[in-house]
Amino acid sequence: MIPDEKVREVRERAPILQVISDYMSLKKSGANYQGICPFHGEKTPSFNVNPARGIFHCFGCGAGGNSFDFVMRMEGLSFPQAVKFLAKKVGVEIPERPLSRDEKRRMDEQEQAFHINELACEYYLRVLESDEAGAAGRGYLQQRGVDRETAATYRMGFAPVGWDNLAKFLQRKGVPLEQAEKLGLLRKREGRDGYYDTFRNRLLFTISDLHGRAIGFGGRVMDDSLPKYINSPESVVYHKSEVLFGVDLAKKGMREQGSAIVVEGYFDHLALYRAGYTNVVATCGTALTPPHVKLLRRYAERAYMLFDGDEAGRKATVRSMELFLEEGFPARVVEVPSGDDPDTFIRREGGAAFAPLLEQSLPIFESFYRGVLKSLDIRSVEGKVAFVNEVSPRLAKISDPVERGLYEKEICRAVGIDQAMLHKKVGIPAAAPRPQQAKAAPRTAATEEVLLTLMAKYPEVVLTVRDHGADKLFNGAHLRLAEAIIAEAGQGELDLSRVLEQIESPEERSRLFSLFVEDAHLEDMDAIKAFEQCCQALERHALKGGGKALARELATVDPDSPRYLEILAELERLRNKKSKLL
């Protein structure tokens, strides 16, 4: 665990304006700085940074936080990783607890794996760029219209003809060859000592992690021989179920576009990326998995699936659909003309021709059930039953009742069946009458929030609230925040970003960041008078609530009882007190 004083030191030495300016352009606007939000697509700036308070908030998508939150979102890091990331930038040394023997062994193994993969990547790159042995790879890329700049962006390489070119290179670099074998770069010779190269006479795509570090390779033949592709196996740094090819290149594009385009092949990825679709990622020879969907959700709000139109591609789309439905993550299906894949389509038609395909894409469930409709003869009872059996399990996975209900109506109309029959098949119970909800009690949240903004702006209000008693003014999460502000202010200058870190609910934090990011309206205000007005408003709320409770009790009490007279006297006292507050 990172000591609190080190977190505070990093925050102080890495001002939020400096941190965010490394990623995006900001312009001064009053006390704040504004820019185009990097977390969703927008044309008018709604992203605000308040340097004095060390916080940011986007009024478009609701993202908000401090410098650590921003780096966590941009780099896909956990909180400790974000602290260490910024600490390294500003020269703060973070003390590490002593690692256990097993932890040190795993860390050493991972670092060695990254090192070996990077060495292999450098070797393959050099062969493709300048060695005579890489001429075949350069010629193949030229045929496919891939220039050197694009090849460098993708860190493409070439594994030359021969059995042990890489093995000899790694040996010269002092790499234990048994470690390179574990990464799938080499294979052990059968029946005798030594190793030989896994990738031979193949064009190589470097598979990178989120931070651009080489973790594996995809090797493609340059003729019709099989297997067409060889991919690196699982290793301590490469887990296929968690990695999407090109995600290091696509992070920025996915944030800006608010979407991700998911394709199957390396060259499909390359074709789209070169055509300007920088939010594209690819599966690495594996089906889409729940970790893949969670990774996409980190950067995008929706996905466009672009798999091959053959039977294998259709099955992959159905499998991915079930994942998206279970995760509640919007996805659409993009269809290219029959016989095409994204690579061939864009090379023939150009990148601009792909935009209408995105616009015409269908929601993934709609695409699925329309495909099932085409494949069956729904004029027969047998066809209708087969259709319902195929569609109903997937329909049940749609969690949004409105979306599911609309699809139910469409499906029943298309097939000619009763909606109640479909409900029975899907397992959705008949709608029960909605219980009548009790009326909400009068809310004082708005007044409490005004008080919180005054506390964040004026130290004298913090002292006044402390003396008055925070528990007499605030409730719930607002009370905890007010007490945290008092405690923080008691230690010196108020660090609002540190205080807001204590709010656990992401929704509540986002709302509070929006509350505190702008404070121009509080300038030149008589803070103590504003505090007193808030107190009066809260007291009026309390009196009103107390009066209603007494009135309800009065209606149930015997008029001849002593309690009846007590309630009348209490009501009169409340009315007099309330009139003095007006």
Side-chain angles (χ1 to χ4, degrees):
M1 189 172 178
I2 302 173
D4 287 345
E5 61 270 19
K6 285 295 179 182
V7 175
R8 184 188 291 270
E9 185 181 356
V10 173
R11 188 188 294 108
E12 289 171 353
R13 293 178 63 174
I16 193 167
L17 187 61
Q18 176 184 315
V19 170
I20 295 180
S21 294
D22 285 345
Y23 291 88
M24 56 184 287
S25 175
L26 294 168
K27 291 184 178 180
K28 200 167 190 324
S29 176
N32 287 358
Y33 287 77
Q34 288 187 337
I36 298 295
C37 181
F39 304 123
H40 79 290
E42 65 175 13
K43 294 181 179 179
T44 303
S46 57
F47 183 92
N48 283 258
V49 180
N50 187 314
R53 291 181 169 174
I55 60 175
F56 74 90
H57 181 76
C58 175
F59 289 94
C61 67
N66 55 27
S67 54
F68 298 131
D69 294 305
F70 184 83
V71 170
M72 286 165 67
R73 275 177 167 267
M74 293 296 289
E75 300 290 345
L77 301 175
S78 64
F79 177 76
Q81 289 172 329
V83 175
K84 291 176 182 177
F85 178 88
L86 286 177
K88 189 175 181 180
K89 278 193 165 189
V90 297
V92 175
E93 188 174 338
I94 302 292
E96 300 283 356
R97 68 171 176 78
L99 299 176
S100 69
R101 185 176 297 177
D102 284 344
E103 286 175 328
K104 189 173 188 312
R105 179 186 55 78
R106 283 197 300 271
M107 183 170 287
D108 288 346
E109 192 177 359
Q110 284 186 332
E111 288 304 316
Q112 188 178 43
F114 283 125
H115 176 63
I116 295 171
N117 275 323
E118 285 294 338
L119 285 175
C121 180
E122 289 171 16
Y123 170 75
Y124 292 135
L125 280 170
R126 192 197 71 221
V127 172
L128 179 64
E129 287 176 355
S130 56
D131 281 14
E132 186 179 343
R138 292 192 292 273
Y140 181 77
L141 288 179
Q142 190 174 8
Q143 288 175 15
R144 299 198 66 146
V146 179
D147 57 33
R148 290 199 171 198
E149 186 180 348
T150 302
T153 299
Y154 276 78
R155 294 211 287 172
M156 296 174 75
F158 186 73
V161 175
W163 286 95
D164 56 0
N165 294 291
L166 179 66
K168 289 177 179 176
F169 170 80
L170 293 177
Q171 200 164 29
R172 289 195 300 272
K173 292 289 185 178
V175 171
L177 298 190
E178 63 273 15
Q179 297 300 322
E181 182 196 9
K182 288 181 180 179
L183 299 176
L185 294 167
L186 304 178
R187 293 178 181 172
K188 194 165 180 56
R189 295 183 186 275
E190 292 183 13
R192 57 195 180 100
D193 293 339
Y195 296 86
Y196 65 94
D197 298 351
T198 298
F199 301 105
R200 303 181 306 280
N201 196 31
R202 287 177 180 266
L203 185 72
L204 294 183
F205 284 87
T206 299
I207 301 169
S208 302
D209 68 3
L210 278 169
H211 309 296
R213 296 177 295 187
I215 56 176
F217 300 90
R220 190 195 195 286
V221 296
M222 296 172 294
D223 53 25
D224 295 328
S225 58
L226 296 173
K228 185 177 179 181
Y229 278 99
I230 295 177
N231 289 316
S232 292
E234 295 264 326
S235 72
V236 293
V237 293
Y238 180 35
H239 306 288
K240 293 184 181 182
S241 65
E242 300 173 6
V243 174
L244 290 168
F245 176 75
V247 71
D248 56 316
L249 300 174
K251 288 187 298 185
K252 185 173 184 289
M254 287 192 288
R255 288 191 200 99
E256 291 174 347
Q257 302 297 323
S259 64
I261 303 172
V262 184
V263 297
E264 288 182 292
Y266 299 109
F267 273 103
D268 290 339
H269 186 288
L270 188 147
L272 283 165
Y273 195 85
R274 288 178 66 211
Y277 299 93
T278 56
N279 57 331
V280 60
V281 294
T283 54
C284 297
T286 184
L288 210 66
T289 65
H292 287 152
V293 177
K294 286 181 171 62
L295 178 61
L296 292 173
R297 187 188 283 280
R298 192 185 299 176
Y299 299 101
E301 299 167 2
R302 62 189 179 281
Y304 291 93
M305 303 304 297
L306 192 53
F307 288 172
D308 289 346
D310 57 14
E311 186 60 26
R314 282 192 289 273
K315 287 182 179 178
T317 302
V318 172
R319 284 195 300 269
S320 65
M321 173 190 71
E322 293 177 346
L323 286 177
F324 285 121
L325 294 179
E326 287 167 0
E327 291 288 333
F329 188 61
R332 303 177 76 87
V333 174
V334 182
E335 292 187 4
V336 294
S338 179
D340 271 335
D341 57 31
D343 180 34
T344 56
F345 177 82
I346 287 177
R347 279 199 287 157
R348 188 185 67 247
E349 304 292 339
F354 184 74
L357 300 185
L358 282 177
E359 293 171 4
Q360 295 159 15
S361 62
L362 292 175
I364 196 165
F365 181 79
E366 182 176 349
S367 173
F368 161 70
Y369 90 73
R370 287 183 185 276
V372 177
L373 273 175
K374 290 178 183 177
S375 66
L376 296 170
D377 180 8
I378 59 169
R379 292 172 297 181
S380 66
V381 171
E382 185 180 25
K384 292 180 191 292
V385 171
F387 174 82
V388 172
N389 287 340
E390 182 75 10
V391 170
S392 56
R394 281 88 185 196
L395 181 63
K397 292 179 184 290
I398 300 176
S399 57
D400 186 330
V402 175
E403 182 183 6
R404 189 177 60 236
L406 291 171
Y407 276 129
E408 286 170 9
K409 289 179 180 178
E410 280 194 31
I411 288 168
C412 291
R413 186 165 55 247
V415 187
I417 61 172
D418 184 75
Q419 202 165 339
M421 293 170 59
L422 184 61
H423 276 180
K424 191 173 182 181
K425 185 68 180 177
V426 174
I428 301 171
R434 293 177 66 182
Q436 190 172 3
Q437 294 183 339
K439 288 185 179 180
R443 295 187 62 198
T444 62
T447 306
E448 291 180 21
E449 287 182 354
V450 171
L451 265 177
L452 287 171
T453 59
L454 289 170
M455 291 177 72
K457 179 75 174 175
Y458 296 104
E460 60 268 33
V461 176
V462 177
L463 297 176
T464 308
V465 170
R466 184 197 63 188
D467 296 341
H468 188 91
D471 57 337
K472 297 175 184 176
L473 300 170
F474 298 96
N475 292 290
H478 289 159
L479 174 59
R480 290 192 294 275
L481 182 57
E483 289 174 339
I485 290 175
I486 292 170
E488 180 75 14
Q491 298 175 17
E493 189 176 345
L494 175 63
D495 186 342
L496 190 61
S497 68
R498 176 182 166 85
V499 171
L500 291 174
E501 282 176 3
Q502 301 174 37
I503 305 299
E504 294 181 2
S505 165
E507 294 79 11
E508 182 69 8
R509 287 186 74 200
S510 176
R511 202 173 57 75
L512 289 171
F513 279 120
S514 71
L515 186 69
F516 291 123
V517 79
E518 290 195 85
D519 60 1
H521 59 290
L522 300 177
E523 293 291 341
D524 303 322
M525 179 181 285
D526 186 333
I528 298 303
K529 184 176 181 181
F531 166 79
E532 292 171 352
Q533 290 172 342
C534 287
C535 288
Q536 290 177 2
L538 290 170
E539 194 171 354
R540 280 196 297 272
H541 277 295
L543 291 173
K544 187 176 180 182
K548 285 187 176 181
L550 288 171
R552 285 194 296 271
E553 184 183 354
L554 187 68
T556 63
V557 173
D558 185 347
D560 295 328
S561 68
R563 176 59 183 158
Y564 191 83
L565 294 175
E566 288 175 5
I567 294 173
L568 287 175
E570 183 65 16
L571 283 170
E572 181 63 23
R573 187 185 71 79
L574 288 178
R575 274 193 290 270
N576 291 334
K577 193 172 182 180
K578 190 176 178 182
S579 65
K580 293 177 182 178
L581 293 172
L582 297 175

